Amino acid sequence: MLKYYNYDIVFQEIPDEVTLAVNITNCPHRCVGCHSPHLHLDIGEVLDENSLDGLLSKYGRQITCVCFMGGDRQPKDVATLAKHLHQHTKLKVAWYSGNDILPRYANLFDYVKVGGYKPEFGGLRSRTTNQRLYRNVNGHSEDITSRFWKK
């Protein structure tokens, strides 16, 4: 069962989108230097179709995208929520995964970020990052990580 700790409307996680970022708990990765170590714990409220619809009833007109921040212990549950969003909304759907490769269900998302945080490489804003953000375009994954780098 997926659980979330909190959520926020953000502007920097997905380029060109106003995103409802939902922080999912029980992260299996335990990255050194993690900015949210409390998300390692199995805490929070249940995240299912009903609770997600409740969040959307508050923010649906203000956002263009929903991003699941985590959920790597229950990828099938994250995929189910992505399907639900695609069936019932026109929102784009993103998944920030700490896995090093595209998750099994990546084709269900408009955007997927992969790669655990490694302090020596930096986050997405660093040109040396090990992390990648992909946009799904007609069934093909396009690496758009460079959109985070200042010119």
Side-chain angles (χ1 to χ4, degrees):
M1 158 178 31
L2 284 176
K3 294 181 186 175
Y4 71 100
Y5 181 79
N6 61 358
Y7 55 88
D8 202 359
I9 295 177
V10 298
F11 304 95
Q12 297 179 11
E13 300 296 343
I14 304 297
D16 305 322
E17 304 293 342
V18 178
T19 303
L20 177 65
V22 182
N23 291 309
I24 299 173
T25 60
N26 203 16
C27 179
H29 299 293
R30 312 268 193 288
C31 301
V32 173
C34 175
H35 63 72
S36 302
H38 59 283
L39 297 179
H40 299 171
L41 304 173
D42 186 11
I43 57 175
E45 302 294 321
V46 171
L47 181 60
D48 58 16
E49 292 174 1
N50 290 329
S51 58
L52 184 57
D53 288 344
L55 293 176
L56 294 179
S57 71
K58 294 179 189 178
Y59 301 106
R61 294 179 187 253
Q62 300 171 31
I63 61 173
T64 60
C65 182
V66 174
C67 183
F68 300 103
M69 309 292 280
D72 290 322
R73 280 197 196 274
Q74 296 98 358
K76 188 173 182 182
D77 292 343
V78 179
T80 297
L81 293 176
K83 288 180 192 175
H84 175 74
L85 287 169
H86 284 303
Q87 290 171 350
H88 300 285
T89 75
K90 294 183 181 191
L91 297 170
K92 294 190 179 148
V93 185
W95 185 8
Y96 262 45
S97 168
N99 289 321
D100 290 329
I101 59 171
L102 285 171
R104 176 178 177 191
Y105 303 103
N107 63 322
L108 298 175
F109 297 85
D110 299 290
Y111 299 92
V112 177
K113 186 219 70 154
V114 293
Y117 178 70
K118 295 181 180 176
E120 65 272 22
F121 299 119
L124 285 174
R125 291 197 175 141
S126 170
R127 291 177 184 268
T128 60
T129 187
N130 62 296
Q131 299 177 322
R132 291 286 176 258
L133 180 64
Y134 295 95
R135 177 174 54 197
N136 189 350
V137 179
N138 298 324
H140 299 287
S141 296
E142 175 188 3
D143 187 337
I144 62 168
T145 309
S146 64
R147 296 277 314 269
F148 290 93
W149 304 335
K150 292 183 180 181
K151 307 272 186 221

